[in-house]
Amino acid sequence: MFFIGLVSNHLSSTMTAAVGSGFLKRDDNLSVSDLLTRILLVDDEPELGEMMRITLERAGYEVYLATNAAEAFGAFRSRVFDLAILDEMMPGSKGHELAACLKGYEPSFPIILASAFPQKAFPGVDHILLKPVAPEILRNLIVRILPGYSEAA
């Protein structure tokens, strides 16, 4: 099975990763303590995605912003992420469909689904947030999802 390498309390002191384009890839060894929390953010609306990216980066997270499911899946397969925040309503694949795909590779990978409309629970989605998401609520949820981690700033 394909190893995703989540940064969590269950990792050993080293993991397979490599530096490239500001994000880790899966080829080099780095200490877990050298890693920041890395978030895969997916939103097809550029303005909303950019605002959320800035909010998360100001909180001390490293963010990769993808604008569609295909781009996000490619990034997920080639980089190391600690969690994903997915928009539900995107052209093509819906956020919950992408979540199921990501969980197929890494069942324990934490996923937050953000939607402008109330949603039912979906398999593979750990938390659902109603958009617009208040920055404080999002930061608190991330801290809860990633035990042992806190905001970098």
Side-chain angles (χ1 to χ4, degrees):
M1 178 171 222
F2 188 73
F3 174 71
I4 298 301
L6 297 175
V7 179
S8 71
N9 294 334
H10 304 291
L11 285 177
S12 64
S13 62
T14 61
M15 66 185 288
T16 303
V19 176
S21 304
F23 279 86
L24 297 177
K25 294 193 179 175
R26 304 182 193 286
D27 301 344
D28 240 1
N29 287 322
L30 292 176
S31 168
V32 170
S33 63
D34 293 334
L35 305 177
L36 295 176
T37 299
R38 289 171 170 77
I39 298 173
L40 172 60
L41 174 62
V42 187
D43 199 315
D44 65 311
E45 296 182 49
E47 299 84 16
L48 293 177
E50 190 63 21
M51 286 187 331
M52 193 175 287
R53 182 191 63 77
I54 290 168
T55 297
L56 292 167
E57 286 179 348
R58 285 182 180 164
Y61 301 109
E62 194 165 336
V63 181
Y64 180 94
L65 177 59
T67 58
N68 60 60
E71 179 186 357
F73 188 68
F76 180 82
R77 298 253 344 237
S78 65
R79 292 171 174 83
V80 175
F81 293 102
D82 302 304
L83 70 100
I85 302 171
L86 313 176
D87 181 23
E88 170 59 8
M89 300 301 290
M90 297 184 291
S93 296
K94 303 293 184 217
H96 73 273
E97 295 168 337
L98 176 58
C101 199
L102 299 180
K103 290 281 188 164
Y105 279 89
E106 183 58 51
S108 64
F109 187 70
I111 296 176
I112 299 169
L113 185 71
S115 177
F117 305 100
Q119 298 291 323
K120 63 179 182 170
F122 292 108
V125 174
D126 299 297
H127 298 277
I128 299 175
L129 291 176
L130 195 57
K131 289 168 79 174
V133 179
E136 188 65 25
I137 291 173
L138 183 58
R139 288 190 300 264
N140 288 339
L141 181 56
I142 292 169
V143 170
R144 280 198 337 256
I145 288 174
L146 299 172
Y149 284 82
S150 61
E151 294 184 40

